Amino acid sequence: EVAYQEEDLHAALDRHPEARLVLIDTAGCGPHERGEWEKRRQLLEAAGATEVQVVIDSMNGYEHMLDLLEASQAIPERRLLFTKLDEAVRPGALLSAAAQSQLPTSYFSVGPAIPGAIEAGDLRKLAARVTGAALTGERGK
């Protein structure tokens, strides 16, 4: 569902009264649009959102990712969802941004097919893929 205003949000929730999970896409905003971030916070609060995905394009630079994470601090219960991982030539920036934020990573989009091209946001697995290391299941190896 897509919601731009509180009325849209309530209508979307009303269309799915039995759903255990409703995903609502709000309008995006840049890191310097503080007023827009506050509007998103108010909208999510009105929805009673229990988890919010901060969606970050994997092709963004590290500094831009940090700017987005800082701007989203007003949003409670944040998780990171990185998109376009299949297109990222240097995914080290997202690993660094995720580590810097200390926020849980929920999902990665890994292709254009929705639904279907989404996988769990396992940073250890991604780090192993980026470095070419095998996962051993043991810490420190």
Side-chain angles (χ1 to χ4, degrees):
E1 294 285 350
V2 177
Y4 296 103
Q5 300 175 5
E6 191 172 339
E7 299 80 32
D8 301 334
L9 189 133
H10 291 299
L13 293 173
D14 288 346
R15 284 191 291 275
H16 304 283
E18 301 298 319
R20 292 177 45 205
L21 174 67
V22 177
L23 299 175
I24 299 172
D25 187 9
T26 62
C29 50
H32 303 295
E33 298 176 277
R34 302 293 182 192
E36 292 301 315
W37 283 100
E38 178 57 22
K39 288 179 188 176
R40 295 312 168 275
R41 187 197 63 72
Q42 291 171 2
L43 184 65
L44 295 164
E45 184 178 291
T50 57
E51 183 177 300
V52 176
Q53 307 299 319
V54 177
V55 179
I56 299 177
D57 185 329
S58 294
M59 294 172 47
N60 283 333
Y62 174 69
E63 295 294 330
H64 186 71
M65 290 180 189
L66 292 182
D67 289 344
L68 287 168
L69 290 165
E70 181 182 335
S72 71
Q73 285 181 343
I75 307 294
E77 303 303 323
R78 294 177 300 159
R79 307 282 187 275
L80 301 178
L81 189 161
F82 288 99
T83 63
K84 300 181 184 175
L85 191 61
D86 57 312
E87 297 178 33
V89 177
R90 295 177 183 88
L94 79 87
L95 285 169
S96 296
Q100 178 71 25
S101 75
Q102 298 184 358
L103 293 172
T105 303
S106 56
Y107 301 102
F108 299 135
S109 76
V110 293
I114 302 296
I118 295 178
E119 55 184 52
D122 184 340
L123 288 175
R124 248 186 100 205
K125 187 175 176 182
L126 178 61
R129 188 180 339 165
V130 169
T131 62
L135 290 176
T136 63
E138 297 178 36
R139 294 195 175 267
K141 289 195 174 189

